Each structure stands twice: as structure tokens, then as C-alpha cells.
Amino acid sequence: MRAVLLVRWAVVAASLAGLALPVWAAKPAARPAAGPSAGRSAGDERPVFLVRPLGHQSRGDAEGSYAAVSLLASPTAGLLSNTSSAEGISRATASGARYVERSNVLELPSGRWKYLPDGRTASVVVSRGDPKAWLQIARSRAWLASGTVPGRSPGQRAAAERALLSMRALLQPNGAMAAGWTPGWQYNWPRDSGFAAAAFAHTGHDAEAYRILRHSAATQREDGTWEARTKLDGSGPPDGRRWQLDANGWVPWAAWQWYRAAPRAGRPARLAALYPMVRKAADRAAASLGADGLPPASPDYWELATATANIGTAAPLLAGLNAAADLAAGTGRPDDAARWAGAAGRLAAGIAARFAPLGYQRTADGLHGHDSAVAFMAPPFNAAPADLPRALDATYEALLLPNGGLTPGNDPTAPWGKAAWTPSTAFFALAWAGTGRTAKAGQVLDWVLARRNALGELPEKVNAAGSPSSIAPLAWTGAITVLALVALDGPGLPTPPLRS
């Protein structure tokens, strides 16, 4: 959950008045990470234009810069796509329109079709039944049919189809995964792309999953870490936002999920191409652990720094270390397996000692409240500790809003307002599905799916009135939703074993 997203919709609304709001860029204090390179040095910081979360008492990632909010575009309501380019659908265009079933071709209220032709970057409007538009529709339907569509009901399957098509539209030819298609979201976050890779892998779309992982390998830094986000062409970060250690857990976990689901033919050779990435990521994660077994203080998925270790970093690293150890053991690399399993054991002990007594709250000092990242301690990320069900229940109740969704956390220094965030809410559908509490998972999932917009797209947020807000679609929510539907469909999703 990126901090810059906290007020984007509010900022867009303010732009109607031609206002300018302050943006901030300060380097958060953090315990130095172990290893040869703890990230970009102070002299490497670049100018950045961000918006400080409303009401937040600490500064964000940038210092002393201002951006005219009128430069920010209106959020999208949907996507047109030819799989090599995409175009956002504005809310005005979406009004009264609908997608032609199982496609990214839009049927306008007039009955004409709007679509993005092959090889083009701008849409056209054509007559209903246009042969070239029909060909694109047929390809979308064939792509869906080439995999599996999860869901126990027609409504769930329709939602899964739309989420898969939206993720496919946001996936670039080079493997970068745009978080969304509005400026500010048109970047690749390793976390979001890792979830998308897992969702593609477990729905039979192996090529897309592997393409994402190859891009992750190409954008990994020499020290084994990743930038918080990068430009879609892979050329580097768009600003000076601080890198995040959680990617060192998410990417190996995604590689493990892909490997478990991938066709066996050719799988070892393709893993071999990814293995250097996994090794650098896992070694860097292991080297970061302190004497207490925990990683250093780092920005979490909120993209805000904490003064002590946070569960939003520790839990993904545990998943990634266990995933890497299992990949190593299964491919004849016992030394790597032992090294990473040992690190996972130390991290698990640290989490049990420092986070478990607090109910897996946001930070190890207990000063920052409940956090939806408690779900990262559950399958399909980690084998659930015995005390996790109680912590999940307590966190859910603490974060529940009157509109039925969840705020990401209740850190008193970072109020989130009255909007529910669909990724944070969907985390609990996935966690409860993974821990066998299918009825609770289904209730949460039903709430998320009922908040799709008129085009069937999953939004980033849901306002106090219960209506979709911010951008739609959001790749991360789509991936979490698809994974939750897969988990509820049958035997469930695999979870990296604790090998120590």
C-alpha cells in the first residue's frame, strides 16, 4: 500500500479548484541494514513530487517540493487494451457503457464499440460487430479459456474473468506490471507484480507469470534488493522514494508459487534462469536480520518508515526465505537450502518473541496499532502460528469501518480516513481461506466483489457511503481476489514450508 496513494483521490478532487498542495520528501530514520549495500546513499537522492498523507505526523519520502495538483489526471474506471498498449476509460466514458462480455472492448450507450486496435496507442469507435474488434474479443476469450477461471458461482467467475483481463491489460510486453493506468500508478511495484505472477500461475497463465518474474530479475539491484517501484520500461525509479526490503520476500515467494504451478516440461531450465535472482534476494534478506532475528526498520507496504521492525516486512521475508530454501532443496542446492532455512528459523523465532505477544501489530515496539499485514502470517505466505486465528479476528474487528471494509491500519500517527481499502480487506479473505475458515473468507470476498464499479472493475478504495472510489482497476486487488477465489475453489493454495 503505497503512501502516495493515501490522498490521490482527494488531490484529484482538489485539482478542480486549481490548488497546489505541499509534497514532502524526507529520508526516514532506519536501523542500518546488514550487508554490503543498504540502499541508495544520501547523495543519490533525487527530487520527488509526492503528496503527504493527510493527518500524518511524520514526513513521507520527499522534502520541500510542491506539485500542482491540477497536473494529476482523473482516475480510470476501466481499461481498453490490445495487450501491448492500454488506454484508460474515464468515468464519463464509462457512464452507461459496458464491456462486451469477456473482453476489453467497450460497448457505448449508442451501441457502437470503442476499442484499442492492434499496434495502436489510441482507441477508435467502430460499428457494433466490427470484424477487427471481434477478432480482439475472440482472442481475449481464447486466452481466458486457455487457463482456468476460479469461482463457485457465475458472479464470482465473472469477477475473476474481469480481474484476469484487467491484469493482462496492465501487464507490459517486457513483464512490467502497472499497478493501475492513471499517472502515479503507472509503475511496477515488485510486491504487486509478485501477487499478479502468483495469480496468473495458479490460473494456468504460465507465460504471463514467468514474464513478470523475468522482469523482476532484470530490475533487481546489484545488492539483491529492489527499488520501491520502477518505470514500466525498466529504466529505474521515477523518483527518490526509498527502497523497500519486503520485495526480497515477495519476489522469491512469487517464484516459488510459479514453480509449484508451472508445467513440468522445461520447468527446471526456466527456474535456473531465475535462480540467481532468488539467491541474491534470499542472501540479502538473511544478511539483514539482526541479533533479535528481525529485519531492520524499513518502509512497509504503507511506504512509510517505522522506527522499529514492522510485520509488513518481517512476514514477507519469512515467506521468501522459506520459499527460497524449498526451491534450493528441490533443485539439488543443499548449502543454499540450509543457509536460508536457518535464517528463516531465526526470523520465525524473532517474530514469535516480539510480534506474537502483541497480536502481530504493525511494529515490534507496539506503538503503531493493528495492521492488515497480520494476514501475511497466514497461508499462502506462511504456515499460520497457533495464535494467528485470534490475532486475525482481533485485527479485523479493530480495522472494520462502518461501510463494511477495512482501513489498512489504526496507527494513531497515520489516520486513513473513512475510505476502506480493497487490498487490505481482501487480505482477510485470502488469510481466512488459507486457515480453513471458508465462511468468513466468503463473507469478506462477497463484500469486495459487491463493490466493483459499473464496468465490473475492482477499485482501490470504497468510500464511506460504500461506493467505489479512486482508480479502477487496481492490479493488486485483482490478484488478491483471484488468489482468494482459487484458495476457496478446491485444495487451496500451497504455502512454503518452514524447513528449519
Side-chain angles (χ1 to χ4, degrees):
M1 190 83 53
R2 43 204 76 83
V4 72
L5 301 189
L6 296 176
V7 292
R8 277 194 180 126
W9 177 230
V11 169
V12 169
S15 70
L16 298 176
L19 301 176
L21 296 180
V23 298
W24 307 87
K27 291 166 288 183
R31 184 173 74 187
S37 173
R40 193 185 299 119
S41 66
D44 292 333
E45 294 294 332
R46 308 175 191 179
V48 59
F49 297 91
L50 304 174
V51 177
R52 179 168 60 89
L54 287 174
H56 206 286
Q57 301 305 309
S58 64
R59 292 188 175 188
D61 306 310
E63 173 118 333
S65 299
Y66 286 78
V69 295
S70 59
L71 297 178
L72 298 178
S74 177
T76 56
L79 291 172
L80 306 175
S81 173
N82 55 24
T83 72
S84 61
S85 298
E87 180 180 292
I89 299 171
S90 70
R91 293 184 177 185
T93 301
S95 180
R98 66 182 182 91
Y99 287 117
V100 177
E101 188 176 8
R102 303 196 305 281
S103 80
N104 282 90
V105 173
L106 192 68
E107 183 175 324
L108 300 172
S110 66
R112 290 165 65 80
W113 286 354
K114 184 180 181 72
Y115 85 112
L116 191 59
D118 293 347
R120 300 274 293 275
T121 58
S123 62
V124 298
V125 176
V126 297
S127 299
R128 178 187 177 95
D130 178 86
K132 291 183 178 179
W134 259 121
L135 181 60
Q136 188 178 107
I137 294 167
R139 288 201 299 263
S140 293
R141 293 175 177 177
W143 180 80
L144 287 169
S146 70
T148 58
V149 177
R152 296 178 174 180
S153 68
Q156 287 184 343
R157 289 190 291 275
E161 286 177 343
R162 176 50 46 204
L164 286 166
L165 286 171
S166 295
M167 288 191 293
R168 184 184 184 225
L170 292 167
L171 179 60
Q172 307 302 295
N174 67 352
M177 187 79 193
W181 208 250
T182 297
W185 285 263
Q186 287 173 298
Y187 303 112
N188 180 87
W189 274 263
R191 174 191 57 245
D192 300 38
S193 63
F195 274 75
F200 280 135
H202 286 292
T203 53
H205 300 292
D206 175 80
E208 287 77 10
Y210 191 69
R211 195 190 331 160
I212 290 171
L213 294 169
R214 291 288 289 171
H215 183 77
S216 293
T219 52
Q220 188 179 33
R221 303 195 304 179
E222 285 300 316
D223 67 355
T225 64
W226 281 267
E227 298 287 352
R229 60 179 183 169
T230 54
K231 298 176 183 177
L232 294 181
D233 63 5
S235 61
D239 53 38
R241 180 175 302 192
R242 187 170 177 177
W243 66 281
Q244 292 177 217
L245 187 57
D246 64 342
N248 285 58
W250 291 128
V251 177
W253 170 82
W256 185 87
Q257 292 288 348
W258 161 77
Y259 188 75
R260 289 293 301 265
R264 292 186 177 274
R267 186 176 65 168
R270 292 195 294 155
L271 176 61
L274 298 176
Y275 195 80
M277 171 190 72
V278 172
R279 176 184 284 127
K280 289 197 296 182
D283 278 344
R284 185 68 176 78
S288 76
L289 303 182
D292 58 359
L294 296 179
S298 167
D300 56 7
Y301 77 102
W302 293 19
E303 299 195 355
L304 294 171
T306 57
T308 58
N310 58 69
I311 195 65
T313 301
L317 290 185
L318 181 60
L321 284 167
N322 282 320
D326 197 57
L327 287 172
T331 54
R333 298 173 173 92
D335 291 344
D336 284 351
R339 185 168 68 255
W340 301 331
R346 295 194 304 277
L347 177 52
I351 291 172
R354 299 289 302 281
F355 284 101
L358 301 171
Y360 305 94
Q361 292 189 24
R362 186 184 180 203
T363 54
D365 58 13
L367 299 178
H368 296 278
H370 292 280
D371 192 309
S372 59
V374 64
F376 301 161
M377 288 300 298
F381 313 113
N382 291 294
D387 57 355
L388 188 66
R390 182 169 58 183
L392 286 170
D393 289 347
T395 304
Y396 184 84
E397 291 301 323
L399 303 185
L400 187 62
L401 296 173
N403 68 8
L406 298 186
T407 184
N410 62 0
D411 186 335
T413 71
W416 290 84
K418 298 180 181 179
W421 291 71
T422 57
S424 292
T425 307
F427 288 161
F428 283 80
L430 188 54
W432 277 325
T435 53
R437 303 171 74 183
T438 56
K440 290 180 75 70
Q443 290 170 1
V444 174
L445 194 59
D446 286 347
W447 184 91
V448 173
L449 297 184
R451 269 66 192 178
R452 290 174 293 154
N453 68 14
L455 292 180
E457 301 282 16
L458 288 159
E460 180 185 53
K461 292 189 286 186
V462 175
N463 66 22
S467 299
S469 65
S470 190
I471 70 159
L474 187 74
W476 198 17
T477 302
I480 300 166
T481 300
V482 168
L483 288 171
L485 287 168
V486 171
L488 288 170
D489 255 5
L493 292 165
T495 301
L498 180 62
R499 301 188 61 89
S500 60

